[in-house]
Amino acid sequence: ADLAGQAAFDRVIAADSRIEPRDWMPEAYRKTLVRQISQHAHSEIIGMQPEANWISRAPSLKRKAILMAKVQDEAGHGLYLYSAAETLGTPRQKMTEDLIAGKARYSSIFNYPTLSWADVGAIGWLVDGAAICNQVPLCRASYGPYGRAMVRVCKEESFHQRQGFEILLELANGTPAQKQMAQHAVNRWYAPSLMMFGPPDDDSPNSIQSMAWNIKRFSNDELRQRFVGMMVEQVEVLGLTLPDDQIRFNDETNKWEHGPLDWDEFKEVLAGRGPCNSQRLERRREAHEDGAWVREAAAAYAARKHAEQEG
Ligand code: ACO
């Protein structure tokens, strides 16, 4: 063990300061960051699929342009995050291979189908809302490249959430059928978006260590409760309801409470048996294979530029 390295690392963490790529760090810290950052990157990339499903059917040119920009933002987030993970020594190619081989995790939420246009609104409002709630504290993560990447990601996510809210607001003030479509979408996305925050604290094996290392700043349940409190106010502005009659603010604990979640369903989705898991991976594999010529061309171009410089 590198005692001086460990002591320096401990001092940085105790001072709530930042670890940078060339600093000494414990192997377990490196490993947990690669795990979380690569999962996060994969989520952004797989998350493009459910929404891209509606690009060709967006109800107007304006909606189509906004949705395309949003899906492109997600690609950008994936790329920053792969780059952040690469600073820890794991090549992007390895992370991608693990994803398409079905060996890597990505967020459970993206294994649910987008059945109507209102789902695009519900994803923006609930899913991106949950993402912001989870990711704003990650801007202060102790690993520099991750925290810095989160700043821009969160700004773009805020725009995504506003566009989702606005889609739902317009539908909720539209015809009765449109309002019903919006309500059905909220009904379907509510519980899965709460499960995005991860298992309950007493079933979250990584939380304690990640919080001690200042990677996570709040526990899964703390963030989930905070999110419910935000949504319960916003849903009133929409004129819709959340499919949970047990939401309440507990004055004694000073926390929001919500109804029980189906953690068996969550485990099934994590085990690869959610509604869309196999489709998502199949599409990702196809896209990777279809893109082989781009990677080959880029590599050949880089090699030629390099040879020209040498020559
Ligand atoms: N979907 C899939 N897997 C999950 C989820 C989820 N919603 N929540 C937890 N898990 C996995 C964890 O990855 C972990 O598995 P692993 O040990 O094989 O890696 C296991 O369940 C146990 O969970 P925790 O011990 O609570 O794991 P962790 O401390 O990493 O907390 C969390 C999970 C909160 C998701 C954390 O990793 C995190 O904040 N990640 C960054 C945010 C992120 O990835 N967001 C992606 C979706 S948002 C978006 O892309 C728009």
Side-chain angles (χ1 to χ4, degrees):
D2 182 334
L3 291 179
Q6 180 74 53
F9 174 87
D10 291 344
R11 272 196 303 277
V12 169
I13 298 296
D16 203 353
S17 185
R18 279 197 149 146
I19 302 292
E20 296 297 338
R22 288 187 185 79
D23 295 344
W24 185 90
M25 62 186 86
E27 266 321 295
Y29 176 81
R30 185 184 301 275
K31 218 174 130 194
T32 211
L33 280 167
V34 171
R35 176 182 66 78
Q36 177 165 331
I37 302 172
S38 65
Q39 287 175 1
H40 195 164
H42 297 327
S43 305
E44 300 282 357
I45 297 298
I46 295 284
M48 294 166 76
Q49 293 185 37
E51 290 178 283
N53 180 32
W54 281 92
I55 290 177
S56 62
R57 292 173 288 166
S60 70
L61 183 61
K62 188 180 111 189
R63 295 287 183 201
K64 188 174 182 139
I66 295 170
L67 185 57
M68 277 174 64
K70 193 203 151 177
V71 172
Q72 284 175 357
D73 284 353
E74 310 290 359
H77 298 174
L79 298 188
Y80 310 143
L81 287 162
Y82 283 129
S83 298
E86 282 197 311
T87 64
L88 293 154
T90 304
R92 180 169 152 200
Q93 193 184 336
K94 161 85 171 71
M95 295 182 265
T96 302
E97 280 164 9
D98 285 351
L99 175 65
I100 61 182
K103 287 193 270 182
R105 288 199 196 288
Y106 58 87
S107 183
S108 51
I109 194 75
F110 300 119
N111 294 304
Y112 291 85
T114 39
L115 304 178
S116 77
W117 168 252
D119 287 32
V120 174
I123 291 183
W125 181 51
L126 289 169
V127 176
D128 297 327
I132 295 168
C133 205
N134 162 269
Q135 289 170 24
V136 165
L138 291 174
C139 295
R140 295 189 289 123
S142 57
Y143 188 57
Y146 190 35
R148 288 189 290 271
M150 280 301 110
V151 175
R152 177 166 174 180
V153 169
C154 285
K155 288 191 174 151
E156 293 181 346
E157 291 296 352
S158 304
F159 155 65
H160 298 171
Q161 200 208 8
R162 291 304 295 245
Q163 70 87 42
F165 184 84
E166 203 260 340
I167 288 173
L168 290 178
L169 189 64
E170 191 154 317
L171 290 174
N173 289 300
T175 64
Q178 285 173 327
K179 183 168 184 182
Q180 194 184 41
M181 183 166 77
Q183 183 63 59
H184 283 170
V186 169
N187 291 353
R188 279 184 288 107
W189 288 92
Y190 169 75
S193 72
L194 259 55
M195 292 197 266
M196 282 173 72
F197 292 93
D201 292 350
D202 55 13
D203 196 22
S204 164
N206 301 301
S207 278
I208 291 178
Q209 182 60 73
S210 288
M211 288 173 78
W213 277 328
N214 296 342
I215 298 171
K216 285 169 92 158
R217 298 288 177 160
F218 300 97
S219 75
N220 298 357
D221 285 332
E222 281 169 338
L223 292 176
R224 187 171 13 250
Q225 288 152 1
R226 186 181 292 186
F227 176 67
V228 168
M230 283 160 50
M231 294 301 113
V232 83
E233 285 178 11
Q234 294 180 15
V235 80
E236 285 190 27
V237 182
L238 288 174
L240 300 173
T241 56
L242 294 174
D244 182 346
D245 57 12
Q246 293 181 48
I247 298 176
R248 69 177 195 115
F249 187 76
N250 185 327
D251 289 319
E252 277 158 33
T253 59
N254 256 331
K255 282 178 185 156
W256 283 94
E257 292 173 0
H258 55 80
L261 293 166
D262 185 351
W263 293 109
D264 290 335
E265 176 183 310
F266 178 74
K267 284 180 186 149
E268 282 294 293
V269 174
L270 260 61
R273 293 186 291 268
C276 300
N277 293 56
S278 54
Q279 182 191 323
R280 299 289 185 243
L281 276 189
E282 206 177 300
R283 287 291 106 77
R284 185 65 196 88
R285 246 175 244 136
E286 276 168 16
H288 189 66
E289 284 160 19
D290 290 348
W293 70 273
V294 179
R295 293 190 296 279
E296 281 160 24
Y301 180 77
R304 202 178 71 202
K305 281 279 149 198
H306 185 71
E308 276 170 16
Q309 274 165 9
E310 298 284 295

